[in-house]
Amino acid sequence: MTTESGETAWLSTVAGTSWTPPEIDFTKPQTARMYDYYLGGKDHYAPDRETAERVVGVWPSVGKFARANRHFMHLAVERLAALGVDQFLDVGTGIPTSPNVHEIAQAVRPAARILYTDHDPVVLAHARALMNSTAAGRIDYIQGDLRRPETILGHPCMTGADPALDLARPVAVNLVAIMHFITPEDDPRRIVGALMDALPAGSHLILSHITAEFAPAEVEAAARLYHRQGLPAHARDESELAGLVDALGLDLLPPGILPVNRWSPDTPEEPPAPLYTDAEASCLGLIARKP
């Protein structure tokens, strides 16, 4: 295991700076680094790996969930960029895994702007070091907590003379594999509502969420493991996500709320067989539009 001082030195090198955020604690697992482990990445530490392996022990297909979720994100961002959306607010960025949101969006809209935000400073250090915009576009990175959307909307990069995103024009909010860390006590309707209320008509919500509908024993056992590590995890079903969308006054885009392994912006008469089963992915995805 790498020592804490070794991890700190590595972070300073990757960020290209001698600054190390004081709140970093390498002795505790963190959800973004565990997700990176599920994807087969390299940016995680012993506590992340140890906890992730325990999750794999009770939910063997968690890696398939992570890959299916990434595929959904790719399809959803690509679809909105094709529809003309050129601003994306990515909340809960996670460890960069190519293709990232800006790579997908700027491949379609070279001038697209993307604001990445995460509460983990290690994630932001990776993002700053590894992600670069097209010359015509722009990407920014800020530290913010989804439970306090005002820390994102009121950040100086959003309120200055040259804001990262122009909130007078439509923005797509990406809440990909993050809302299941928001408990009922956190009030998900308040949180998502605060983000969407700040945006004009024509804005969109991309959301994916773990569900226990298809593999209840495995997903619920994984949630209990997360809870024991102080990491809140709360699965939701299709009716709960539909209720959230309806409460926010948003319009679901086709194909509606579907398991991410079967979600597609196209509706061919004979869709190809999904790579994973609903139980293996155990994740729902949707795009909704603010009218």
Side-chain angles (χ1 to χ4, degrees), residues 76-145:
V77 171
E78 190 173 57
R79 178 184 189 181
L80 290 187
L83 291 175
V85 177
D86 63 358
Q87 298 193 107
F88 293 82
L89 171 58
D90 189 73
V91 184
T93 296
I95 302 294
T97 303
S98 187
N100 297 291
V101 171
H102 71 282
E103 293 173 296
I104 300 164
Q106 291 179 346
V108 181
R109 302 278 167 190
R113 292 186 170 203
I114 294 85
L115 174 60
Y116 290 106
T117 177
D118 202 288
H119 74 283
D120 182 359
V122 174
V123 166
L124 296 178
H126 278 278
R128 291 189 181 98
L130 300 177
M131 298 199 293
N132 297 296
S133 174
T134 60
R138 173 174 170 177
I139 56 177
D140 293 88
Y141 322 88
I142 63 172
Q143 188 171 358
D145 187 346

Side-chain angles (χ1 to χ4, degrees), residues 21-273:
E23 64 269 35
I24 292 178
D25 185 351
F26 293 108
T27 68
K28 297 178 180 179
Q30 201 276 343
T31 55
R33 299 192 296 266
M34 289 172 62
Y35 187 77
D36 181 69
Y37 181 84
Y38 302 144
L39 287 170
K42 299 179 180 178
D43 299 311
H44 38 71
Y45 312 117
D48 309 310
R49 293 188 288 272
E50 291 163 3
T51 303
E53 275 299 320
R54 288 198 288 272
V55 173
V56 172
V58 299
W59 184 14
S61 70
V62 65
K64 294 179 180 179
F65 143 70
R67 290 188 289 276
N69 179 69
R70 287 286 305 178
H71 183 62
F72 162 75
M73 182 277 291
H74 191 147
L75 291 176
V77 171
E78 190 173 57
R79 178 184 189 181
L80 290 187
L83 291 175
V85 177
D86 63 358
Q87 298 193 107
F88 293 82
L89 171 58
D90 189 73
V91 184
T93 296
I95 302 294
T97 303
S98 187
N100 297 291
V101 171
H102 71 282
E103 293 173 296
I104 300 164
Q106 291 179 346
V108 181
R109 302 278 167 190
R113 292 186 170 203
I114 294 85
L115 174 60
Y116 290 106
T117 177
D118 202 288
H119 74 283
D120 182 359
V122 174
V123 166
L124 296 178
H126 278 278
R128 291 189 181 98
L130 300 177
M131 298 199 293
N132 297 296
S133 174
T134 60
R138 173 174 170 177
I139 56 177
D140 293 88
Y141 322 88
I142 63 172
Q143 188 171 358
D145 187 346
L146 178 58
R147 294 178 181 82
R148 298 174 57 216
E150 68 275 7
T151 66
I152 300 170
L153 297 169
H155 192 277
C157 87
M158 295 286 281
T159 59
D162 183 23
L165 301 175
D166 178 3
L167 299 189
R169 297 194 301 108
V171 176
V173 177
N174 294 1
L175 298 179
V176 175
I178 186 172
M179 286 301 294
H180 40 250
F181 299 119
I182 299 298
T183 67
E185 292 73 25
D186 293 322
D187 194 351
R189 178 178 174 181
R190 172 191 65 83
I191 290 170
V192 184
L195 293 172
M196 297 307 297
D197 285 348
L199 305 178
S203 293
H204 291 78
L205 170 67
I206 299 174
L207 188 150
S208 65
H209 200 296
I210 285 177
T211 183
E213 293 176 79
F214 310 113
E218 291 87 345
V219 172
E220 289 166 7
R224 289 193 294 271
L225 273 171
Y226 272 80
H227 276 286
R228 287 201 291 270
Q229 293 294 327
L231 304 171
H234 187 87
R236 292 182 173 90
D237 61 24
E238 180 183 351
S239 65
E240 290 177 284
L241 298 186
L244 175 63
V245 170
D246 185 62
L248 296 174
L250 305 178
D251 296 330
L252 274 174
L253 268 60
I257 303 172
L258 281 180
V260 293
N261 51 296
R262 290 192 282 117
W263 194 96
S264 171
D266 304 312
T267 53
E269 291 185 5
E270 295 184 11

Side-chain angles (χ1 to χ4, degrees), residues 275-290:
L275 188 59
Y276 306 122
T277 67
D278 293 356
E280 287 173 330
S282 288
C283 185
L284 299 171
L286 66 90
I287 300 179
R289 183 180 185 275
K290 182 173 180 177

